[in-house]
Amino acid sequence: MENNKEQTEKGEKTEPIEQAEPVETTEQIESPVEAKKQEFQKWKVYLVLVAIVVGAGIYGYSWLQETKQLRAQAIEVVERAQNYDVLLSKVEDEKDRCETFISQKEGDFGSFEYCKKFIDWTKTLSASEEGLK
């Protein structure tokens, strides 16, 4: 201001400095088309997020169903193994009974033949088990 007073005292004309009008930037100017594009971009993001959540849900559901199926199969296999162990113990008991029956050298011929064939069968059974191992 003092500089202006000095210049006016010397006789020079000065013009007052005008305030510059604010310049509108491209961010401030928003056409309806650009607004719709931004709104569409928002919906696109939401749609992608929904698709991801739905996809994760479907994957989780299928994983759960597969896990349930595998669990049921595992239970079935364990039950078969337990039944197999019971069956093997019964076969072993019958084999022992037949061996004691044959060693007594007493009894009827039908029981003797049955026991002889049963013992032979258990020998082939044990040989096939060893082949599986």
Side-chain angles (χ1 to χ4, degrees), residues 84 88 91 119-131:
Y84 183 73
L88 282 180
V91 167
I119 291 172
D120 289 341
W121 177 75
T122 57
K123 287 179 183 176
T124 60
L125 181 66
S126 60
S128 66
E129 281 183 359
E130 288 176 9

Side-chain angles (χ1 to χ4, degrees), residues 3 12 14 25 36 43 52 61 75 86 98-99 116:
N3 199 10
E12 297 176 7
T14 60
T25 62
K36 286 183 181 180
W43 283 107
I52 289 172
Y61 179 76
I75 290 171
V86 168
C98 282
E99 285 176 345
K116 185 176 174 185

Side-chain angles (χ1 to χ4, degrees), residues 43-59:
W43 283 107
K44 228 164 120 176
V45 169
Y46 290 137
L47 184 63
V48 168
L49 289 175
V50 167
I52 289 172
V53 169
V54 168
I58 290 171
Y59 175 76

Side-chain angles (χ1 to χ4, degrees), residues 99-107:
E99 285 176 345
T100 56
F101 179 78
I102 289 175
S103 67
Q104 291 175 357
K105 297 182 183 179
E106 293 180 8

